[in-house]
Amino acid sequence: MRVQKRLSFFLLLLFFVPGVLFLWSGGLGDLPLPSLSDFWDGATGEAVNTAVKESFPGRNFLSSMTASLQTTLGRNQQNGCFYSADGILQNLPEADEGITAENLAALQDYAAALPVPCYFLLSPTSAAIEQEKIPALALDSLFNQKQYIQRCYSALATCFHTIDGYNGLFSHRSEYLFYRTDSRLTALGCYYLYASAGEKLGYSVRSIDDFSIAHPLHGYRGNLSPLVPYVQVQPDILSLFYYQRHDRDIRLIENPLESAASKALYDPALLNGTDPLQVYLGENNGVADLAADNTPFDSRLLVFTDGSCNALFPLMAIHYRQIRVVDLRSATASQLALIQPEEFDQVLFAFSLESFGYERVLGETLGGK
């Protein structure tokens, strides 16, 4: 108890000194001083981050101290995220019912116009799977993602084969499924989605022992780090899966609608870019192909996705002659017009609940198809 008091005093001092200097310089402007309740519910951290964004050179340090102090007081929430040294988890609000209805209607219309079987995979976020990292008092307020996914699947039952990714992830929840500093699935998390999809898509799932796994990047900090500048959060590791059992060469074609030139599946140079997760499908040009050489399979798979699980598709590629991946967040109208889904044997929609329940990723892009 005495150690905790000393730590609290130390963190308060660290917060107080730069705060006084900041106030002395008039940096708060018209921002009112926070009340105790504001501090307790996390509003102070968000207000300070906003106030110092452009005017205070030590803003990152001060934001980190704010997070550390809230952690000491047992209040581990900031900018809509739960956080600890084990990771940052987004606390999603209830999904937007209007947007959900639009996206579901777009899927139904699209599938109704196709002679090709359609599949839907809606994956949960880390907050639904890694609930042991969330303060006990906050669990009752969590959005019920499992129930939402089941409701979406029921709405699509007549026109889609739905894939249960939730239970596959939940049964392995103690493993490294989600990045600690990024909202997307790790390569291992994508492996379990690959395993969950096998029965519905009709391929024989390969054991994880059939892959060699490389870890070419340590110290990755992803898209959640700016929301919670808590330096004690452990950085992430990026992994690459290589199929070993057969001599099956998977090649990447980054602009298949413009060029047939292919390259090696993983480009290590992308690990040094602004988004190292591009290593799984190359630079995001809207459309990418995965083509397999020396394969006994003839099937072709068309995928529409939101970029949340790109490490999934190189795993699936060992079961197909071709997989075309269309990122609906970046694909252009002209690219979509060139895609002929009836030329493929299967069409898969793979989305995270993080986008499907809150963004018009389908209604606005596929509405004209």
Side-chain angles (χ1 to χ4, degrees):
M1 185 70 177
R2 183 175 299 174
V3 173
Q4 185 178 14
K5 288 182 177 179
R6 289 176 178 174
L7 177 60
S8 298
F9 176 77
F10 177 69
L11 290 173
L12 280 167
L13 184 62
L14 287 176
F15 180 82
F16 179 75
V17 172
V20 167
L21 294 176
F22 181 48
L23 288 170
W24 185 269
S25 66
L28 277 175
D30 296 327
L31 182 70
L33 291 176
S35 65
L36 181 60
S37 62
D38 290 333
F39 183 84
W40 186 254
D41 67 11
T44 297
E46 297 181 21
V48 169
N49 284 338
T50 301
V52 302
K53 185 175 181 181
E54 296 180 353
S55 58
F56 186 39
R59 60 186 179 273
N60 292 334
F61 172 78
L62 184 57
S63 295
S64 181
M65 288 305 99
T66 301
S68 296
L69 183 55
Q70 289 181 206
T71 300
T72 302
L73 296 175
R75 189 67 174 97
N76 299 61
Q77 189 170 0
Q78 185 175 345
N79 289 328
C81 298
F82 300 108
Y83 65 90
S84 69
D86 291 332
I88 304 169
L89 295 81
Q90 287 181 301
N91 183 17
L92 295 177
E94 294 285 331
D96 187 292
E97 290 299 323
I99 291 176
T100 297
E102 288 182 30
N103 285 331
L104 288 173
L107 285 173
Q108 292 166 336
D109 292 344
Y110 198 84
L114 289 183
V116 179
C118 293
Y119 304 79
F120 185 49
L121 170 60
L122 184 57
S123 59
T125 70
S126 57
I129 302 299
E130 300 176 335
Q131 295 186 15
E132 74 281 356
K133 296 181 180 180
I134 297 174
L137 293 176
L139 289 175
D140 289 341
S141 65
L142 286 180
F143 172 44
N144 191 328
Q145 296 189 28
K146 183 175 183 179
Q147 187 179 78
Y148 174 84
I149 291 172
Q150 291 173 337
R151 183 158 55 89
C152 290
Y153 282 5
S154 296
L156 298 173
T158 60
C159 51
F160 273 84
H161 305 277
T162 56
I163 297 169
D164 178 16
Y166 187 100
N167 287 322
L169 292 172
F170 192 79
S171 63
H172 294 275
R173 60 189 177 277
S174 62
E175 301 178 42
Y176 186 39
L177 305 179
F178 294 89
Y179 292 108
R180 290 180 286 267
T181 66
D182 199 290
S183 61
R184 290 166 284 189
L185 285 156
T186 65
L188 181 60
C190 288
Y191 172 81
Y192 290 120
L193 288 187
Y194 154 79
S196 298
E199 181 179 357
K200 289 293 182 71
L201 288 171
Y203 58 73
S204 178
V205 175
R206 300 297 187 256
S207 166
I208 198 168
D209 296 329
D210 293 335
F211 298 86
S212 67
I213 306 174
H215 309 286
L217 179 63
H218 295 68
Y220 169 64
R221 292 192 180 274
N223 59 23
L224 297 179
S225 290
L227 297 178
V228 182
Y230 182 56
V231 295
Q232 285 84 350
V233 176
Q234 300 177 56
D236 285 295
I237 300 170
L238 265 65
S239 303
L240 304 177
F241 280 56
Y242 296 89
Y243 185 57
Q244 295 295 297
R245 286 199 59 185
H246 302 286
D247 182 20
R248 196 160 302 156
D249 184 27
I250 308 297
R251 307 287 294 177
L252 174 67
I253 305 172
E254 290 187 300
N255 293 289
L257 300 176
E258 300 176 8
S259 169
S262 65
K263 58 191 294 186
L265 176 58
Y266 300 126
D267 182 359
L270 293 173
L271 295 169
N272 301 317
T274 56
D275 183 6
L277 270 63
Q278 287 185 344
V279 71
Y280 296 114
L281 283 179
E283 295 183 7
N284 190 0
N285 297 303
V287 182
D289 274 10
L290 298 170
D293 296 328
N294 302 319
T295 177
F297 303 111
D298 292 321
S299 296
R300 303 172 69 205
L301 173 68
L302 174 62
V303 177
F304 293 104
T305 187
D306 58 358
S308 62
C309 57
N310 285 350
L312 166 64
F313 310 119
L315 300 172
M316 288 183 169
I318 64 177
H319 303 286
Y320 293 89
R321 181 168 297 279
Q322 176 197 9
I323 295 181
R324 173 158 293 170
V325 183
V326 182
D327 189 330
L328 288 180
R329 282 179 158 179
S330 55
T332 65
S334 59
Q335 286 177 315
L336 292 173
L338 292 174
I339 295 171
Q340 303 298 321
E342 62 276 2
E343 296 179 355
F344 293 83
D345 299 287
Q346 297 170 314
V347 177
L348 168 66
F349 290 84
F351 287 86
S352 169
L353 189 148
E354 179 188 0
S355 64
F356 190 83
Y358 309 89
E359 302 174 21
R360 293 176 171 83
V361 289
L362 288 160
E364 293 183 352
T365 54
L366 296 183
K369 281 295 289 179

